[in-house]
Amino acid sequence: MSESATGYRVSAAGLLLTYWCNARCEHCYELSGPQRGGWMSVEAARGHWAALKRLGAEAAGLHVGGGEPFGDFERLAAVVRAAREAGLEGVGYVETNGFWATDDGLVRERLAELREAGMRQISISCDVFHQAFVDPAGPQRLWRVAREVLGEAGVRARRWRFLQSPRDLRKATAEEREAAYREAMAAHPERMTGRAAGRLARLLPRWPGEKFREERCGDGLEEAGHVHVDPAGWVFPGTCAGILLGRADERTGLDEVLARPAGEVRRVLAARGPWGLREELGSPLGFKNEPDGYADKCHLCTSVRTFLFRTGKFAAELGPREVYEED
Ligand code: SF4
């Protein structure tokens, strides 16, 4: 656990190398997909790692994700290596959906290189949403070979159940996919942010926004122990993509960004939740409730934030564009 100058606690930090992904999952909170581009430079990553070193971050909470970071393996390996070069003890884990794991030899080679570079664990993203795009054989091969190369503690899956009993939904009908999504969300609720708010929320029961009147976001936003840094250096709380804490670049370190006081959007969300955001900032500018209602508080929040983002009045606090608009 570490603290910035004003007490913003950081226990976990992830570098999102890119918004590019081979998949276009319906629960993706960053709207990643094959149409996206843009990669974090190794130099920028080194700067973020150095800031995390100044903050006293521990390797276990540090991770690299995307998008899909294995879309540029050489860059990924260099970014992992850069953590040690910045004085850290390594990187806790790297996230992947395993699409690239087409051959045992290739998997062994890449995992060994990442291990030497300082990666402790590979984290496999595996669920019905990914299975609409990724051949289940990939993550299964990755799991098996990773246990050989990295040991039992060197691999984890989100979610094990879907890795163990995979479904290949790549050729499923829209109805079959929706049934699988409904069943998965009943067992493992997803937060309705990002693409989920536009694509998955319609599969769930919805309520008028007033239902979420009492729900606050203080813990998640004011003491967001988990932060993400996107390819351009935009920093947001790990669970709330699109709420900007600032931009870390060659002039302003990540530690300086985290030391800044909260802006208006974050203050309102922390004190009054998304209903308060609607009342204080959305309604005065003309925000109207979705007629079909909201599946959860994050769905309401995403709806209000998207409206506010489009007004252009909160450019320092809401962005980047990739998180609010599909290409
Ligand atoms: S309602 Fe908004 S601020 Fe609160 S947890 Fe959900 S996305 Fe984050």
Side-chain angles (χ1 to χ4, degrees):
M1 186 74 74
S2 52
E3 286 193 18
S4 69
T6 56
Y8 195 103
R9 294 189 295 164
V10 180
S11 58
L15 303 190
L16 309 180
L17 287 203
T18 180
Y19 287 112
W20 177 87
C21 189
N22 59 300
R24 200 168 181 278
C25 297
E26 300 217 344
H27 68 336
C28 183
Y29 62 83
E30 298 160 13
L31 314 187
S32 289
Q35 79 285 5
R36 296 292 199 195
W39 288 81
M40 181 181 288
S41 71
V42 178
E43 268 319 295
R46 190 174 285 112
H48 302 324
W49 292 139
L52 288 160
K53 170 69 181 169
R54 292 194 290 275
L55 285 167
E58 288 173 13
L62 303 178
H63 52 287
V64 178
E68 175 48 62
F70 278 79
D72 183 345
F73 180 72
E74 281 184 23
R75 184 188 306 259
L76 168 61
V79 165
V80 171
R81 216 171 287 120
R84 280 195 181 147
E85 290 162 5
L88 294 161
E89 286 181 3
V91 169
Y93 56 99
V94 171
E95 298 169 328
T96 179
N97 63 40
F99 83 100
W100 54 276
T102 52
D103 172 86
D104 281 22
L106 174 72
V107 176
R108 207 167 278 122
E109 192 181 303
R110 287 185 166 183
L111 292 180
E113 184 171 343
L114 289 174
R115 183 192 59 206
E116 296 314 308
M119 179 194 77
R120 295 183 178 179
Q121 190 181 57
I122 192 89
S123 175
I124 306 174
S125 304
C126 183
D127 51 42
V128 286
F129 309 108
H130 286 91
Q131 285 164 353
F133 298 92
V134 179
D135 180 348
Q140 287 197 313
R141 175 178 293 107
L142 179 55
W143 173 268
R144 175 172 50 75
V145 178
R147 282 166 66 94
E148 286 170 28
V149 178
L150 304 171
E152 222 170 286
V155 57
R156 68 181 184 191
R158 181 187 184 275
R159 306 187 181 270
W160 166 244
R161 169 191 160 198
F162 297 106
L163 185 77
Q164 193 182 29
S165 311
R167 294 189 61 184
D168 188 348
L169 293 171
R170 288 176 297 164
K171 295 204 171 94
T173 64
E175 290 74 23
E176 287 167 340
R177 283 185 189 176
E178 287 185 5
Y181 295 167
R182 278 200 179 91
E183 195 227 323
M185 288 192 288
H188 310 284
E190 298 284 341
R191 286 169 357 104
M192 294 295 112
T193 57
R195 193 173 284 136
R199 304 284 305 166
L200 293 178
R202 66 195 169 80
L203 304 179
L204 297 171
R206 278 160 291 162
W207 293 273
E210 287 91 332
K211 176 178 166 66
F212 308 103
R213 185 185 282 271
E214 303 303 326
E215 298 199 28
R216 310 276 183 266
C217 302
D219 288 353
L221 287 168
E222 292 303 285
E223 296 182 4
H226 189 156
V227 295
H228 281 156
V229 187
D230 92 343
W234 291 112
V235 184
F236 27 81
T239 52
C240 308
I243 299 173
L244 299 175
L245 307 182
R247 187 175 192 177
D249 56 23
E250 58 281 357
R251 290 181 305 279
T252 310
L254 176 57
D255 45 344
E256 290 176 67
V257 169
L258 297 178
R260 288 179 185 156
E264 197 175 9
V265 170
R266 198 147 54 100
R267 277 202 304 272
V268 173
L269 281 167
R272 299 191 54 209
W275 182 258
L277 189 71
R278 173 197 170 279
E279 285 195 323
E280 286 191 36
L281 303 185
S283 297
L285 292 171
F287 174 80
K288 300 275 181 273
N289 287 332
E290 296 272 350
D292 294 333
Y294 302 97
D296 66 6
K297 72 169 181 173
C298 297
H299 186 194
L300 171 61
C301 182
T302 302
S303 178
V304 179
R305 285 191 284 109
T306 302
F307 168 83
L308 294 174
F309 170 79
R310 288 181 181 150
T311 67
K313 291 184 187 297
F314 297 90
E317 291 194 73
L318 297 175
R321 186 192 71 78
E322 286 89 337
V323 173
Y324 286 97
E325 290 177 356
E326 295 276 10
D327 282 334

